[in-house]
Protein backbone atom coordinates (compact mmCIF):
# COMPACT_ATOMS: atom_id res chain seq x y z
CA UNK A 1 0.00 0.00 0.00
CA UNK A 2 2.85 2.39 0.67
CA UNK A 3 4.06 2.20 -2.93
CA UNK A 4 0.62 3.19 -4.19
CA UNK A 5 0.58 6.52 -2.38
CA UNK A 6 2.43 8.30 -5.19
CA UNK A 7 -0.89 8.30 -7.06
CA UNK A 8 -2.14 11.12 -4.84
CA UNK A 9 0.07 14.07 -5.61
CA UNK A 10 0.33 17.03 -3.27
CA UNK A 11 2.18 20.08 -4.53
CA UNK A 12 2.21 23.85 -4.23
CA UNK A 13 1.48 26.01 -7.29
CA UNK A 14 1.49 29.74 -7.79
CA UNK A 15 -1.61 31.78 -8.63
CA UNK A 16 -2.64 31.22 -12.23
CA UNK A 17 -0.93 27.82 -12.46
CA UNK A 18 -4.06 25.86 -11.64
CA UNK A 19 -4.67 23.64 -14.69
CA UNK A 20 -7.55 24.26 -17.04
CA UNK A 21 -10.23 21.57 -17.03
CA UNK A 22 -10.99 19.68 -20.21
CA UNK A 23 -14.15 21.66 -20.82
CA UNK A 24 -12.30 24.96 -20.32
CA UNK A 25 -9.55 23.77 -22.67
CA UNK A 26 -12.20 22.98 -25.27
CA UNK A 27 -13.82 26.41 -24.88
CA UNK A 28 -10.44 28.09 -25.26
CA UNK A 29 -9.75 26.11 -28.41
CA UNK A 30 -6.85 24.26 -26.82
CA UNK A 31 -8.29 20.81 -27.48
CA UNK A 32 -7.76 20.13 -31.15
CA UNK A 33 -9.05 16.91 -32.62
CA UNK A 34 -6.45 15.37 -34.90
CA UNK A 35 -7.73 15.25 -38.44
CA UNK A 36 -7.38 11.92 -40.16
CA UNK A 37 -5.37 12.13 -43.33
CA UNK A 38 -6.14 10.23 -46.50
CA UNK A 39 -6.04 6.41 -46.23
CA UNK A 40 -2.50 5.05 -46.46
CA UNK A 41 -1.09 1.99 -48.14
CA UNK A 42 -0.23 -0.81 -45.80
CA UNK A 43 1.75 -4.03 -45.99
CA UNK A 44 2.13 -6.89 -43.54
CA UNK A 45 5.57 -8.49 -43.74
CA UNK A 46 6.32 -11.89 -42.21
CA UNK A 47 9.98 -12.32 -41.24
CA UNK A 48 11.01 -15.99 -41.38
CA UNK A 49 14.27 -17.87 -41.32
CA UNK A 50 16.42 -20.53 -39.72
CA UNK A 51 17.11 -20.19 -35.95
CA UNK A 52 19.62 -17.55 -34.89
CA UNK A 53 20.02 -15.79 -38.24
CA UNK A 54 19.22 -12.43 -36.59
CA UNK A 55 15.53 -12.02 -37.47
CA UNK A 56 14.64 -10.24 -34.21
CA UNK A 57 17.73 -8.01 -34.41
CA UNK A 58 16.78 -7.05 -37.96
CA UNK A 59 13.16 -6.29 -37.09
CA UNK A 60 14.35 -4.10 -34.20
CA UNK A 61 16.62 -2.21 -36.60
CA UNK A 62 13.90 -1.76 -39.23
CA UNK A 63 11.27 -0.60 -36.73
CA UNK A 64 13.77 1.41 -34.61
CA UNK A 65 12.62 -0.40 -31.48
CA UNK A 66 13.77 -2.99 -28.98
CA UNK A 67 10.47 -4.84 -28.87
CA UNK A 68 11.55 -8.20 -30.27
CA UNK A 69 13.46 -10.30 -27.75
CA UNK A 70 17.07 -10.65 -28.91
CA UNK A 71 19.45 -13.20 -27.38
CA UNK A 72 22.51 -15.10 -28.50
CA UNK A 73 20.69 -18.35 -27.71
CA UNK A 74 18.88 -19.84 -30.71
CA UNK A 75 15.11 -20.31 -30.54
CA UNK A 76 14.27 -17.35 -28.32
CA UNK A 77 11.39 -16.08 -30.46
CA UNK A 78 8.57 -18.63 -30.37
CA UNK A 79 5.34 -16.82 -31.24
CA UNK A 80 4.32 -14.34 -33.89
CA UNK A 81 4.97 -10.81 -32.73
CA UNK A 82 3.72 -7.74 -34.63
CA UNK A 83 5.70 -4.49 -34.72
CA UNK A 84 4.75 -1.37 -36.63
CA UNK A 85 6.60 1.34 -38.52
CA UNK A 86 6.26 3.35 -41.74
CA UNK A 87 8.53 4.01 -44.68
CA UNK A 88 8.00 6.62 -47.40
CA UNK A 89 4.30 6.99 -46.56
CA UNK A 90 3.57 3.26 -46.36
CA UNK A 91 2.48 1.71 -43.05
CA UNK A 92 4.33 -1.52 -42.37
CA UNK A 93 3.50 -4.28 -39.89
CA UNK A 94 6.34 -6.75 -39.37
CA UNK A 95 5.51 -10.17 -37.92
CA UNK A 96 8.52 -11.66 -36.17
CA UNK A 97 8.46 -15.45 -36.03
CA UNK A 98 10.42 -18.22 -34.36
CA UNK A 99 13.33 -19.87 -36.11
CA UNK A 100 12.15 -22.71 -38.36
CA UNK A 101 14.11 -25.97 -38.33
CA UNK A 102 12.24 -28.77 -40.08
CA UNK A 103 14.62 -31.40 -38.65
CA UNK A 104 13.30 -30.76 -35.11
CA UNK A 105 10.09 -32.61 -34.25
CA UNK A 106 9.18 -31.76 -30.63
CA UNK A 107 5.95 -29.96 -29.70
CA UNK A 108 7.56 -26.51 -29.50
CA UNK A 109 9.29 -26.90 -32.89
CA UNK A 110 6.03 -28.03 -34.53
CA UNK A 111 4.25 -25.06 -32.94
CA UNK A 112 6.89 -22.67 -34.31
CA UNK A 113 6.51 -24.08 -37.82
CA UNK A 114 2.74 -23.72 -37.59
CA UNK A 115 3.06 -20.11 -36.40
CA UNK A 116 5.50 -19.28 -39.20
CA UNK A 117 3.19 -20.81 -41.81
CA UNK A 118 0.27 -18.85 -40.35
CA UNK A 119 2.32 -15.64 -40.51
CA UNK A 120 3.04 -16.32 -44.18
CA UNK A 121 -0.69 -16.74 -44.83
CA UNK A 122 -1.42 -13.39 -43.15
CA UNK A 123 1.40 -11.53 -44.89
CA UNK A 124 1.44 -9.49 -48.08
CA UNK A 125 5.21 -9.92 -48.38
CA UNK A 126 7.62 -12.42 -46.81
CA UNK A 127 11.12 -11.39 -45.76
CA UNK A 128 13.32 -14.49 -45.79
CA UNK A 129 16.33 -13.79 -43.55
CA UNK A 130 19.48 -15.85 -44.07
CA UNK A 131 22.89 -15.73 -42.38
CA UNK A 132 25.54 -14.21 -44.64
CA UNK A 133 28.27 -15.11 -42.16
CA UNK A 134 27.36 -18.80 -41.94
CA UNK A 135 26.61 -19.05 -45.65
CA UNK A 136 24.07 -21.20 -47.47
CA UNK A 137 22.90 -24.31 -45.59
CA UNK A 138 20.31 -27.03 -46.19
CA UNK A 139 17.92 -25.54 -43.61
CA UNK A 140 17.57 -22.45 -45.82
CA UNK A 141 16.45 -24.59 -48.74
CA UNK A 142 13.87 -26.35 -46.52
CA UNK A 143 12.35 -22.97 -45.64
CA UNK A 144 12.44 -21.87 -49.28
CA UNK A 145 10.26 -24.87 -50.17
CA UNK A 146 7.68 -23.76 -47.58
CA UNK A 147 7.73 -20.22 -49.01
CA UNK A 148 7.17 -21.43 -52.55
CA UNK A 149 3.98 -23.15 -51.41
CA UNK A 150 2.82 -19.85 -49.86
CA UNK A 151 2.85 -18.06 -53.25
CA UNK A 152 3.64 -14.68 -51.66
CA UNK A 153 6.27 -12.16 -52.85
CA UNK A 154 9.56 -13.00 -51.13
CA UNK A 155 12.49 -10.71 -50.34
CA UNK A 156 15.72 -12.53 -49.43
CA UNK A 157 17.61 -10.49 -46.81
CA UNK A 158 21.19 -11.68 -46.27
CA UNK A 159 21.91 -10.57 -42.71
CA UNK A 160 25.25 -10.18 -40.89
CA UNK A 161 26.89 -8.44 -43.87
CA UNK A 162 28.60 -6.05 -41.48
CA UNK A 163 31.08 -4.41 -43.86
CA UNK A 164 31.24 -3.47 -47.55
CA UNK A 165 33.88 -6.15 -48.23
CA UNK A 166 31.36 -8.82 -47.16
CA UNK A 167 28.69 -7.81 -49.72
CA UNK A 168 29.81 -10.38 -52.36
CA UNK A 169 28.89 -13.13 -49.86
CA UNK A 170 25.22 -12.39 -50.55
CA UNK A 171 25.49 -13.73 -54.11
CA UNK A 172 25.71 -17.29 -52.75
CA UNK A 173 21.98 -17.14 -51.96
CA UNK A 174 21.02 -16.75 -55.62
CA UNK A 175 20.75 -20.53 -55.60
CA UNK A 176 17.50 -20.22 -53.62
CA UNK A 177 15.85 -19.03 -56.86
CA UNK A 178 13.95 -16.19 -55.14
CA UNK A 179 15.38 -13.17 -56.91
CA UNK A 180 18.38 -11.02 -56.09
CA UNK A 181 19.36 -11.35 -52.40
CA UNK A 182 19.83 -8.04 -50.58
CA UNK A 183 22.85 -7.68 -48.28
CA UNK A 184 21.98 -6.13 -44.93
CA UNK A 185 23.38 -5.72 -41.44
CA UNK A 186 21.05 -5.60 -38.44
CA UNK A 187 24.03 -4.69 -36.26
CA UNK A 188 25.44 -1.85 -38.41
CA UNK A 189 22.38 -0.76 -40.43
CA UNK A 190 24.11 -1.41 -43.73
CA UNK A 191 21.62 -1.87 -46.60
CA UNK A 192 18.49 -1.40 -44.48
CA UNK A 193 17.28 1.56 -46.56
CA UNK A 194 17.48 -0.44 -49.80
CA UNK A 195 15.72 -3.34 -48.08
CA UNK A 196 12.86 -1.11 -46.90
CA UNK A 197 12.56 0.47 -50.38
CA UNK A 198 12.20 -2.98 -51.92
CA UNK A 199 9.66 -4.13 -49.33
CA UNK A 200 7.46 -1.04 -49.78
CA UNK A 201 7.58 -1.43 -53.57
CA UNK A 202 5.80 -4.76 -53.07
CA UNK A 203 3.11 -3.30 -50.79
CA UNK A 204 -0.46 -3.67 -52.08
CA UNK A 205 -1.97 -0.59 -53.70
CA UNK A 206 -5.14 -0.89 -51.59
CA UNK A 207 -5.39 1.28 -48.47
CA UNK A 208 -6.77 0.41 -45.04
CA UNK A 209 -8.55 2.24 -42.26
CA UNK A 210 -6.67 3.40 -39.16
CA UNK A 211 -6.85 1.48 -35.85
CA UNK A 212 -6.49 4.68 -33.82
CA UNK A 213 -9.84 4.10 -32.08
CA UNK A 214 -9.01 0.54 -31.05
CA UNK A 215 -9.01 -0.27 -27.34
CA UNK A 216 -5.71 -1.91 -26.37
CA UNK A 217 -6.18 -4.78 -23.93
CA UNK A 218 -3.13 -6.36 -22.25
CA UNK A 219 -3.51 -9.90 -20.91
CA UNK A 220 -1.23 -10.18 -17.87
CA UNK A 221 -0.54 -12.70 -15.15
CA UNK A 222 1.81 -15.20 -13.60
CA UNK A 223 3.25 -17.98 -15.78
CA UNK A 224 0.90 -20.81 -16.70
CA UNK A 225 -2.39 -19.29 -15.50
CA UNK A 226 -3.99 -19.71 -18.93
CA UNK A 227 -3.37 -16.32 -20.57
CA UNK A 228 -2.66 -17.70 -24.04
CA UNK A 229 -5.57 -20.13 -23.81
CA UNK A 230 -7.84 -17.21 -22.93
CA UNK A 231 -6.55 -15.18 -25.87
CA UNK A 232 -7.17 -18.13 -28.18
CA UNK A 233 -10.72 -18.50 -26.85
CA UNK A 234 -11.36 -14.79 -27.44
CA UNK A 235 -9.92 -14.80 -30.94
CA UNK A 236 -11.30 -18.18 -31.92
CA UNK A 237 -8.12 -19.55 -33.43
CA UNK A 238 -4.71 -20.87 -32.43
CA UNK A 239 -3.23 -17.39 -32.52
CA UNK A 240 -0.48 -18.14 -29.98
CA UNK A 241 1.28 -21.33 -28.96
CA UNK A 242 -0.48 -22.95 -25.99
CA UNK A 243 1.58 -25.35 -23.93
CA UNK A 244 1.35 -26.78 -20.41
CA UNK A 245 5.03 -25.84 -20.00
CA UNK A 246 5.14 -22.61 -17.99
CA UNK A 247 6.90 -19.71 -19.68
CA UNK A 248 6.06 -20.67 -23.28
CA UNK A 249 5.12 -17.10 -24.28
CA UNK A 250 8.17 -14.85 -24.18
CA UNK A 251 7.14 -11.92 -26.36
CA UNK A 252 4.11 -9.63 -26.30
CA UNK A 253 1.80 -10.43 -29.22
CA UNK A 254 -0.85 -8.13 -30.73
CA UNK A 255 -4.08 -9.47 -32.22
CA UNK A 256 -6.83 -7.22 -33.64
CA UNK A 257 -10.46 -8.26 -33.28
CA UNK A 258 -13.86 -6.53 -33.34
CA UNK A 259 -16.32 -6.77 -30.46
CA UNK A 260 -19.78 -5.64 -31.58
CA UNK A 261 -18.24 -3.12 -33.96
CA UNK A 262 -15.62 -1.84 -31.49
CA UNK A 263 -12.02 -2.54 -32.60
CA UNK A 264 -9.97 -4.19 -29.88
CA UNK A 265 -6.25 -5.01 -29.88
CA UNK A 266 -5.36 -7.96 -27.63
CA UNK A 267 -1.80 -7.99 -26.26
CA UNK A 268 -0.80 -11.41 -24.94
CA UNK A 269 2.30 -11.22 -22.75
CA UNK A 270 4.91 -13.38 -21.12
CA UNK A 271 4.21 -14.54 -17.57
CA UNK A 272 5.42 -12.12 -14.90
CA UNK A 273 7.22 -13.22 -11.76
CA UNK A 274 9.44 -11.49 -9.23
CA UNK A 275 12.97 -10.80 -10.45
CA UNK A 276 14.45 -13.01 -7.71
CA UNK A 277 12.45 -15.93 -9.16
CA UNK A 278 13.36 -15.27 -12.80
CA UNK A 279 15.31 -18.26 -14.09
CA UNK A 280 17.72 -16.43 -16.36
CA UNK A 281 18.50 -13.16 -18.10
CA UNK A 282 16.19 -14.10 -21.01
CA UNK A 283 13.19 -14.30 -18.68
CA UNK A 284 14.13 -10.92 -17.23
CA UNK A 285 14.04 -9.29 -20.68
CA UNK A 286 10.71 -10.97 -21.44
CA UNK A 287 9.36 -9.46 -18.20
CA UNK A 288 10.46 -6.04 -19.42
CA UNK A 289 8.48 -6.57 -22.62
CA UNK A 290 5.38 -7.32 -20.54
CA UNK A 291 5.84 -4.10 -18.60
CA UNK A 292 6.19 -2.17 -21.88
CA UNK A 293 2.94 -3.80 -23.01
CA UNK A 294 1.21 -2.39 -19.91
CA UNK A 295 2.42 1.10 -20.75
CA UNK A 296 0.74 1.08 -24.15
CA UNK A 297 -2.46 -0.67 -23.05
CA UNK A 298 -5.73 0.99 -22.06
CA UNK A 299 -7.01 -1.95 -20.01
CA UNK A 300 -5.22 -4.83 -18.28
CA UNK A 301 -6.78 -8.23 -17.68
CA UNK A 302 -5.03 -9.73 -14.65
CA UNK A 303 -5.50 -13.45 -15.20
CA UNK A 304 -5.38 -15.62 -12.06
CA UNK A 305 -5.63 -19.37 -11.59
CA UNK A 306 -8.78 -20.21 -9.63
CA UNK A 307 -7.08 -23.23 -8.05
CA UNK A 308 -4.54 -20.88 -6.41
CA UNK A 309 -6.95 -18.06 -5.67
CA UNK A 310 -5.68 -14.47 -5.91
CA UNK A 311 -2.06 -14.61 -4.77
CA UNK A 312 0.22 -11.85 -3.51
CA UNK A 313 1.97 -12.00 -6.88
CA UNK A 314 -1.35 -11.38 -8.67
CA UNK A 315 -1.81 -8.30 -6.47
CA UNK A 316 1.70 -7.11 -7.33
CA UNK A 317 1.01 -7.43 -11.07
CA UNK A 318 -2.22 -5.47 -10.57
CA UNK A 319 -0.24 -2.70 -8.89
CA UNK A 320 2.23 -2.65 -11.81
CA UNK A 321 -0.67 -2.24 -14.24
CA UNK A 322 -2.11 0.57 -12.12
CA UNK A 323 1.21 2.43 -12.06
CA UNK A 324 1.41 2.06 -15.85
CA UNK A 325 -1.98 3.83 -16.10
CA UNK A 326 -4.04 0.77 -17.10
CA UNK A 327 -7.63 0.31 -16.09
CA UNK A 328 -7.75 -3.15 -14.50
CA UNK A 329 -10.04 -6.18 -14.43
CA UNK A 330 -9.19 -9.32 -12.43
CA UNK A 331 -10.07 -12.59 -14.18
CA UNK A 332 -10.33 -15.83 -12.17
CA UNK A 333 -9.59 -18.30 -14.97
CA UNK A 334 -10.01 -22.12 -15.03
CA UNK A 335 -13.41 -21.85 -13.32
CA UNK A 336 -14.19 -25.29 -14.77
CA UNK A 337 -11.64 -26.87 -12.38
CA UNK A 338 -12.48 -27.83 -8.78
CA UNK A 339 -12.23 -24.84 -6.43
CA UNK A 340 -14.31 -25.73 -3.39
CA UNK A 341 -12.07 -23.82 -0.99
CA UNK A 342 -12.30 -20.53 -2.87
CA UNK A 343 -14.63 -17.99 -1.26
CA UNK A 344 -15.42 -15.51 -4.05
CA UNK A 345 -17.00 -13.02 -1.64
CA UNK A 346 -13.85 -13.10 0.47
CA UNK A 347 -11.61 -12.60 -2.60
CA UNK A 348 -13.63 -9.57 -3.68
CA UNK A 349 -13.37 -8.04 -0.22
CA UNK A 350 -9.62 -8.72 -0.18
CA UNK A 351 -9.14 -7.06 -3.59
CA UNK A 352 -11.07 -3.98 -2.42
CA UNK A 353 -8.95 -3.83 0.72
CA UNK A 354 -5.56 -4.40 -0.90
CA UNK A 355 -5.84 -2.49 -4.19
CA UNK A 356 -6.77 1.16 -4.40
CA UNK A 357 -8.23 0.65 -7.86
CA UNK A 358 -10.77 -1.77 -6.37
CA UNK A 359 -10.97 -3.72 -9.66
CA UNK A 360 -13.91 -5.97 -10.40
CA UNK A 361 -13.46 -9.76 -10.39
CA UNK A 362 -14.89 -11.81 -13.27
CA UNK A 363 -14.83 -15.62 -13.32
CA UNK A 364 -14.10 -17.33 -16.61
CA UNK A 365 -13.03 -20.54 -18.30
CA UNK A 366 -10.85 -20.43 -21.40
CA UNK A 367 -11.65 -24.11 -21.92
CA UNK A 368 -15.46 -23.79 -21.98
CA UNK A 369 -15.76 -20.12 -22.92
CA UNK A 370 -17.67 -19.28 -19.72
CA UNK A 371 -18.06 -15.51 -19.21
CA UNK A 372 -15.56 -14.63 -21.96
CA UNK A 373 -18.04 -12.29 -23.74
CA UNK A 374 -18.81 -10.70 -20.35
CA UNK A 375 -15.18 -9.95 -19.52
CA UNK A 376 -14.68 -8.40 -22.98
CA UNK A 377 -17.67 -6.12 -22.42
CA UNK A 378 -16.39 -5.23 -18.95
CA UNK A 379 -13.00 -4.34 -20.48
CA UNK A 380 -14.62 -2.07 -23.08
CA UNK A 381 -16.71 -0.38 -20.36
CA UNK A 382 -13.54 0.20 -18.32
CA UNK A 383 -11.81 1.80 -21.30
CA UNK A 384 -14.80 4.09 -21.82
CA UNK A 385 -14.82 5.17 -18.17
CA UNK A 386 -11.08 5.81 -18.22
CA UNK A 387 -11.56 8.10 -21.24
CA UNK A 388 -14.60 9.95 -19.88
CA UNK A 389 -14.61 13.71 -19.38
CA UNK A 390 -16.41 15.00 -16.29
CA UNK A 391 -17.49 18.67 -16.57
CA UNK A 392 -16.03 21.06 -14.01
CA UNK A 393 -19.53 22.08 -12.88
CA UNK A 394 -20.30 18.49 -11.86
CA UNK A 395 -16.95 18.10 -10.10
CA UNK A 396 -17.47 21.23 -8.02
CA UNK A 397 -20.89 19.96 -6.94
CA UNK A 398 -19.22 16.66 -6.06
CA UNK A 399 -16.63 18.57 -3.99
CA UNK A 400 -19.37 20.33 -2.00
CA UNK A 401 -21.18 17.03 -1.43
CA UNK A 402 -17.99 15.36 -0.17
CA UNK A 403 -17.28 18.11 2.34
CA UNK A 404 -20.88 17.91 3.53
CA UNK A 405 -20.64 14.15 3.91
CA UNK A 406 -17.43 14.28 5.95
CA UNK A 407 -15.89 17.44 7.36
CA UNK A 408 -12.32 18.07 6.17
CA UNK A 409 -9.66 17.47 8.84
CA UNK A 410 -8.06 19.98 11.15
CA UNK A 411 -4.31 19.41 10.99
CA UNK A 412 -1.99 21.31 13.34
CA UNK A 413 -4.63 23.95 13.96
CA UNK A 414 -5.47 24.49 10.28
CA UNK A 415 -8.66 23.10 8.76
CA UNK A 416 -8.53 21.94 5.16
CA UNK A 417 -10.68 23.88 2.72
CA UNK A 418 -11.27 22.61 -0.82
CA UNK A 419 -12.34 25.39 -3.20
CA UNK A 420 -12.33 24.13 -6.77
CA UNK A 421 -11.98 20.88 -8.72
CA UNK A 422 -11.39 20.14 -12.38
CA UNK A 423 -10.32 17.29 -14.65
CA UNK A 424 -7.45 18.16 -16.94
CA UNK A 425 -6.36 14.81 -18.38
CA UNK A 426 -7.85 11.51 -19.55
CA UNK A 427 -6.59 7.96 -19.90
CA UNK A 428 -6.07 7.79 -16.98
CA UNK A 429 -8.27 10.55 -15.54
CA UNK A 430 -6.33 13.24 -13.69
CA UNK A 431 -7.92 15.83 -11.42
CA UNK A 432 -6.78 18.91 -9.55
CA UNK A 433 -8.32 20.22 -6.33
CA UNK A 434 -7.39 23.69 -5.14
CA UNK A 435 -6.98 23.86 -1.37
CA UNK A 436 -6.06 26.48 1.18
CA UNK A 437 -2.95 24.73 2.53
CA UNK A 438 -1.02 21.57 1.76
CA UNK A 439 -0.21 21.25 5.48
CA UNK A 440 -3.90 20.64 6.20
CA UNK A 441 -4.16 17.58 3.90
CA UNK A 442 -4.45 14.25 5.70
CA UNK A 443 -3.75 11.18 3.60
CA UNK A 444 -6.77 9.24 4.87
CA UNK A 445 -9.03 12.14 3.85
CA UNK A 446 -7.40 12.21 0.41
CA UNK A 447 -8.23 8.50 0.07
CA UNK A 448 -11.78 9.24 1.19
CA UNK A 449 -12.15 11.83 -1.59
CA UNK A 450 -10.76 9.36 -4.13
CA UNK A 451 -13.12 6.57 -3.05
CA UNK A 452 -16.11 8.90 -3.18
CA UNK A 453 -15.08 9.94 -6.69
CA UNK A 454 -14.90 6.28 -7.72
CA UNK A 455 -18.34 5.60 -6.27
CA UNK A 456 -19.99 8.69 -7.80
CA UNK A 457 -18.70 8.05 -11.33
CA UNK A 458 -18.42 4.22 -11.30
CA UNK A 459 -14.64 4.19 -11.71
CA UNK A 460 -13.67 1.07 -9.78
CA UNK A 461 -10.76 -0.44 -11.66
CA UNK A 462 -9.73 2.89 -13.21
CA UNK A 463 -6.48 4.52 -11.99
CA UNK A 464 -7.18 8.03 -10.71
CA UNK A 465 -4.61 10.75 -10.11
CA UNK A 466 -5.65 13.59 -7.81
CA UNK A 467 -3.39 16.60 -7.34
CA UNK A 468 -4.13 18.65 -4.22
CA UNK A 469 -2.74 22.07 -5.07
CA UNK A 470 -2.32 25.00 -2.74
CA UNK A 471 -1.91 28.44 -4.33
CA UNK A 472 -0.40 31.50 -2.75
CA UNK A 473 -2.41 34.69 -2.47
CA UNK A 474 -6.06 34.30 -3.39
CA UNK A 475 -6.84 31.22 -1.34
CA UNK A 476 -3.94 31.31 1.12
CA UNK A 477 -5.49 31.54 4.58
Amino acid sequence: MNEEQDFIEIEVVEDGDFPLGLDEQEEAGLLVEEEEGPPRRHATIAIVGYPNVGKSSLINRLTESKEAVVHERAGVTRDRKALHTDWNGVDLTFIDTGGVDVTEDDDIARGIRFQAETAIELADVVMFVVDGRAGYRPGDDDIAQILRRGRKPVVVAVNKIDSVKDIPNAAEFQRLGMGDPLPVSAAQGLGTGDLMDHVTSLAPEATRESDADAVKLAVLGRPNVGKSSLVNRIVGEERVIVSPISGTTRDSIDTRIDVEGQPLVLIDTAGLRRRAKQADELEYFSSLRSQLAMERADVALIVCDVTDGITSEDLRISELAMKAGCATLVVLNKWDLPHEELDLKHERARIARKLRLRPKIVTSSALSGRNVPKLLQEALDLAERSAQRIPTKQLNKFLNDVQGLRQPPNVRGKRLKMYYMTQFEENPPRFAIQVNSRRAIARDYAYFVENQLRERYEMDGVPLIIDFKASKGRYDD
Side-chain angles (χ1 to χ4, degrees):
M1 290 296 292
N2 292 336
E3 294 178 354
E4 300 169 4
Q5 294 177 354
D6 290 339
F7 260 68
I8 290 186
E9 301 181 13
I10 303 172
E11 58 181 285
V12 178
V13 296
E14 302 296 333
D15 274 338
D17 287 342
F18 194 78
L20 290 177
L22 290 170
D23 42 352
E24 288 93 342
Q25 293 178 45
E26 189 171 40
E27 289 176 6
L30 300 177
L31 287 182
V32 179
E33 296 289 339
E34 294 186 7
E35 293 185 7
E36 293 188 6
R40 293 160 60 98
R41 290 171 62 208
H42 175 268
T44 299
I45 300 98
I47 298 188
V48 299
Y50 196 75
N52 217 26
V53 295
K55 297 182 299 298
S56 295
S57 296
L58 183 58
I59 198 172
N60 283 341
R61 168 69 70 171
L62 298 179
T63 59
E64 298 182 338
S65 73
K66 296 181 180 179
E67 284 290 302
V69 177
V70 177
H71 199 274
E72 61 187 11
R73 185 191 312 169
V76 170
T77 303
R78 292 174 173 175
D79 291 314
R80 286 174 284 154
K81 176 176 176 59
L83 293 98
H84 309 281
T85 189
D86 67 272
W87 185 262
N88 292 337
V90 181
D91 292 328
L92 302 174
T93 297
F94 288 94
I95 305 178
D96 193 15
T97 66
V100 176
D101 185 350
V102 299
T103 63
E104 297 288 338
D105 198 37
D106 55 62
D107 289 343
I108 291 293
R110 285 194 296 270
I112 290 172
R113 286 198 295 274
F114 172 75
Q115 296 296 337
E117 290 169 358
T118 305
I120 294 167
E121 290 178 12
L122 293 172
D124 301 303
V125 180
V126 178
M127 186 181 294
F128 181 16
V129 182
V130 293
D131 189 334
R133 192 179 299 156
Y136 175 85
R137 48 192 167 187
D140 296 327
D141 197 52
D142 293 335
I143 297 171
Q145 292 182 37
I146 296 173
L147 296 180
R148 290 187 189 99
R149 292 197 297 269
R151 300 182 181 277
K152 297 290 178 69
V154 177
V155 177
V156 178
V158 185
N159 193 25
K160 304 184 184 180
I161 303 296
D162 296 332
S163 67
V164 174
K165 65 181 178 62
D166 296 327
I167 290 178
N169 296 344
E172 180 182 8
F173 294 91
Q174 290 276 3
R175 63 196 298 179
L176 292 171
M178 293 185 159
D180 294 332
L182 299 179
V184 67
S185 169
Q188 306 298 329
L190 179 71
T192 53
D194 291 339
L195 178 61
M196 292 288 272
D197 285 342
H198 189 43
V199 167
T200 53
S201 72
L202 298 174
E205 291 300 322
T207 58
R208 71 166 191 173
E209 296 180 359
S210 171
D211 280 346
D213 294 333
V215 172
K216 296 180 178 61
L217 177 62
V219 183
L220 306 169
R222 295 177 291 116
N224 214 28
V225 294
K227 299 184 299 298
S228 294
S229 297
L230 185 59
V231 170
N232 287 341
R233 169 61 66 173
I234 292 170
V235 177
E237 62 160 312
E238 291 298 315
R239 174 60 179 83
V240 292
I241 298 172
V242 179
S243 168
I245 304 170
S246 64
T248 304
T249 302
R250 284 175 170 163
D251 286 326
S252 303
I253 306 162
D254 290 8
T255 306
R256 187 191 184 283
I257 61 173
D258 287 284
V259 180
E260 297 183 357
Q262 169 66 54
L264 182 71
V265 175
L266 281 170
I267 310 169
D268 186 24
T269 66
L272 284 162
R273 69 177 86 195
R274 290 189 184 278
R275 191 172 301 181
K277 296 182 180 179
Q278 291 168 2
D280 56 17
E281 120 184 60
L282 173 59
E283 189 170 337
Y284 168 69
F285 284 117
S286 296
S287 176
L288 288 182
R289 300 300 184 270
S290 295
Q291 294 185 42
L292 290 172
M294 296 182 206
E295 293 173 4
R296 62 190 178 91
D298 302 306
V299 180
L301 292 185
I302 311 300
V303 182
C304 312
D305 189 328
V306 71
T307 58
D308 298 329
I310 298 173
T311 67
S312 59
E313 190 66 8
D314 296 327
L315 295 175
R316 186 187 73 89
I317 294 170
S318 299
E319 288 182 358
L320 289 174
M322 176 188 75
K323 291 179 180 179
C326 290
T328 303
L329 184 68
V330 175
V331 180
L332 274 173
N333 193 30
K334 306 183 183 180
W335 196 255
D336 51 287
L337 298 180
H339 51 273
E340 291 84 359
E341 297 181 3
L342 182 73
D343 184 341
L344 191 55
K345 184 177 180 180
H346 169 76
E347 295 294 330
R348 286 184 170 132
R350 182 163 169 257
I351 281 281
R353 186 174 67 254
K354 293 286 188 180
L355 296 175
R356 282 191 36 215
L357 263 70
R358 302 195 305 196
K360 189 171 183 178
I361 298 177
V362 177
T363 61
S364 75
S365 167
L367 182 63
S368 68
R370 172 194 167 102
N371 276 350
V372 170
K374 179 181 178 181
L375 71 86
L376 284 177
Q377 190 56 57
E378 290 281 358
L380 291 175
D381 291 345
L382 268 177
E384 184 178 350
R385 289 197 290 275
S386 186
Q388 71 179 321
R389 297 166 54 173
I390 305 174
T392 299
K393 183 177 179 180
Q394 288 187 25
L395 289 172
N396 284 320
K397 183 179 186 305
F398 160 78
L399 203 60
N400 289 332
D401 293 344
V402 166
Q403 294 179 94
L405 187 63
R406 177 175 167 183
Q407 187 179 38
N410 190 324
V411 180
R412 293 190 290 271
K414 196 174 193 68
R415 186 168 299 282
L416 175 67
K417 295 180 181 179
M418 299 186 292
Y419 300 105
Y420 185 80
M421 183 175 184
T422 191
Q423 179 184 358
F424 61 98
E425 287 182 9
E426 307 161 320
N427 288 323
R430 186 165 189 160
F431 305 88
I433 299 177
Q434 195 152 39
V435 300
N436 59 327
S437 172
R438 71 188 298 260
R439 292 175 299 171
I441 300 170
R443 191 165 294 278
D444 65 336
Y445 192 79
Y447 288 151
F448 168 73
V449 173
E450 177 183 346
N451 289 335
Q452 290 298 311
L453 187 63
R454 290 188 185 284
E455 187 174 331
R456 174 74 65 93
Y457 295 102
E458 299 181 341
M459 287 198 284
D460 283 352
V462 176
L464 304 180
I465 305 172
I466 302 177
D467 301 337
F468 289 86
K469 300 195 173 188
S471 64
K472 296 179 180 178
R474 182 180 176 190
Y475 293 124
D476 192 18
D477 59 353

